[in-house]
Amino acid sequence: MTYDAIVAGLGAMGSATAFHLAGRKGLRVLALDRLHPPHTLGSTHGGTRIIRETSFEHPRYVPLVRRAYECWRRMEAATGRRLLHITGGVFIGAEDGVFVAKSKESADIHAVPYEILSPGEIRRRFPALRPEPGTVGFFEPGAGILGPETCVQACLDYARAGGVKIRFDEPVVRWEASGRGVTVTTPRGRYRAGKLLLAAGPWMLDTLTQVGVHVTAERIVMHWFAPSGDAAPFDAARCPLALWEFGPNAAFASFPIERGEIKTTIHHGGEPTTADTVRRDVAADEIAAMRTMLARFIPGANGTHRRSAVCLYTNVRGGDFLIDAHPAHPQVLLASPCSGFGFKFASAIGELLAELLVDGKTEWDLRPFGIARLT
């Protein structure tokens, strides 16, 4: 059989693409993954991911994430599962710092509702948080969280029910493009298709480096703590998701309480690694360092350490996304390196990748995410 499209990698972007391809009648699609997603060895795990309409990275992301909100709701309706939870989010830092000033800039350009809160207002509204003097809070009421494992599972279940052939534990050993098609080889066989999407995140480093993309994988550690004492101040209404800018390129993230636990992490700043060599164990000094952050910003959360886990960011130069055709083989799409902030966009990126695979075009301007800008 010759497939219309093969999707290789079924994390955030690949599973969302499979979901949208399932809605195309008569399409023959094969979806492959080297593991059995959702799993804990890549980027798409950890129970929660942030979604926010504003973007301190660049205002151009706001229209795309607005489409993502719409697509997540469509996915919820199609799968019968709740994926998106609106909790509100507060981004805390210097008034002229990146988090506050750039979030405000993107909100003003795109008319996103927000409030600027003083330290006193933050403490009154969100009593678990301890903003430092000289900081302010940018509060976005429409921000929230997504469950990465739930989202991936829902997308894959829907795709399978819609006729997409899904194969787990089947890595792509190599692929070859010829004419207008492509041949994919795995340990189980060879498959022909008209188009191929490579969306394997940190397992794509060699492929991307070969086409000149400056790309790295980064080890990020997530921790879960049970609050010390009364958990009431930590409900989502009084302790929403929070991002704290505490230095140049340094950010601390905390999530609403879930099953009696608060998840925390440091956004970026992890050690360079690869998917095959990453250090999976979490050392005692890493837990102690997180306790220092909790004592500084959310002291009531500095209770019993429950567990820690490692995930991977796949970063390209400039901290943007990569979505482009292979420069030598236009029938091969390269996507999913999203520099640590891509999950929220997956529902919309999956939609546009499906459009590119089937129609060869999309309404979105992808030039900012092209290979030429990342070499």
Side-chain angles (χ1 to χ4, degrees):
M1 174 189 291
T2 297
Y3 293 94
D4 296 292
I6 295 175
V7 177
L10 296 175
M13 304 307 164
S15 65
T17 303
F19 172 94
H20 288 289
L21 290 173
R24 303 282 191 130
K25 291 185 178 180
L27 204 64
R28 294 164 297 181
V29 179
L30 174 64
L32 304 168
D33 197 280
R34 68 177 54 238
L35 299 167
H36 195 301
H39 57 75
T40 62
L41 299 180
S43 305
T44 310
H45 66 102
T48 48
R49 286 291 186 274
I50 293 172
I51 183 168
R52 48 189 165 87
E53 192 174 350
T54 55
S55 175
F56 52 76
E57 294 85 1
H58 197 284
R60 64 169 165 259
Y61 286 100
V62 176
L64 185 60
V65 80
R66 281 179 164 165
R67 181 58 180 167
Y69 272 90
E70 296 173 4
C71 288
W72 288 122
R73 292 306 191 197
R74 282 175 50 202
M75 288 176 169
E76 288 183 322
T79 65
R81 302 185 195 182
R82 188 176 181 191
L83 308 176
L84 171 59
H85 304 258
I86 301 300
T87 64
V90 60
F91 316 139
I92 301 170
E95 190 168 8
D96 60 352
V98 171
F99 278 20
V100 174
K102 293 298 184 180
S103 293
K104 183 178 182 300
E105 177 186 358
S106 71
D108 290 339
I109 290 172
H110 294 285
V112 180
Y114 69 90
E115 298 176 69
I116 300 295
L117 306 178
S118 69
E121 289 170 327
I122 295 171
R123 287 192 296 270
R124 282 191 296 273
R125 193 178 299 188
F126 312 122
L129 308 183
R130 291 293 180 271
E132 297 177 326
T135 63
V136 298
F138 176 95
F139 178 67
E140 182 182 328
I145 57 174
L146 296 154
E149 293 92 344
T150 303
C151 292
V152 168
Q153 190 66 63
C155 286
L156 294 178
D157 289 347
Y158 180 87
R160 183 182 288 108
V164 174
K165 183 176 289 187
I166 295 176
R167 291 181 176 270
F168 297 139
D169 303 310
E170 190 166 355
V172 172
V173 176
R174 67 178 179 274
W175 57 268
E176 301 163 287
S178 60
R180 295 185 178 181
V182 64
T183 300
V184 170
T185 302
T186 78
R188 299 183 189 175
R190 287 164 57 86
Y191 308 102
R192 287 277 304 165
K195 298 283 184 68
L196 170 65
L197 168 64
L198 297 176
W203 285 275
M204 293 175 61
L205 299 188
D206 288 344
T207 298
L208 297 176
T209 300
Q210 289 168 8
V211 298
V213 174
H214 186 275
V215 60
T216 59
E218 178 183 10
R219 176 181 177 271
I220 300 295
V221 184
M222 304 172 287
H223 306 271
W224 287 261
F225 292 84
S228 55
D230 184 11
F234 295 95
D235 63 33
R238 291 189 287 175
C239 188
L241 69 90
L243 290 172
W244 311 69
E245 186 177 20
F246 63 89
N249 301 314
F252 165 68
S254 59
F255 293 74
I257 194 167
E258 188 174 62
R259 295 187 294 276
E261 300 173 347
I262 290 179
K263 174 186 165 184
T264 61
T265 190
I266 301 297
H267 182 54
H268 285 306
E271 62 190 48
T273 189
T274 71
D276 296 323
T277 63
V278 61
R279 179 166 58 91
R280 297 282 177 186
D281 63 298
V282 176
D285 63 337
E286 294 178 292
I287 299 171
M290 181 52 67
R291 285 195 178 280
T292 299
M293 303 303 296
L294 289 172
R296 179 177 175 182
F297 295 122
I298 319 178
N302 197 7
T304 303
H305 172 256
R306 291 284 179 82
R307 66 189 187 281
S308 299
V310 170
C311 80
L312 297 168
Y313 286 179
T314 308
N315 304 311
V316 295
R317 176 176 287 167
D320 275 307
F321 293 176
L322 168 64
I323 305 170
D324 202 354
H326 191 288
H329 308 293
Q331 67 270 52
V332 178
L333 295 179
L334 306 174
S336 86
C338 290
S339 302
F341 71 109
F343 189 88
K344 65 182 71 66
F345 299 90
S347 62
I349 291 177
E351 181 183 52
L352 71 85
L353 289 172
E355 293 169 348
L356 291 171
L357 288 169
V358 178
D359 305 323
K361 61 182 180 180
T362 179
E363 66 180 20
W364 295 98
D365 180 8
L366 300 181
R367 286 174 296 179
F369 313 135
I371 290 173
R373 290 176 59 102
L374 304 174
T375 55

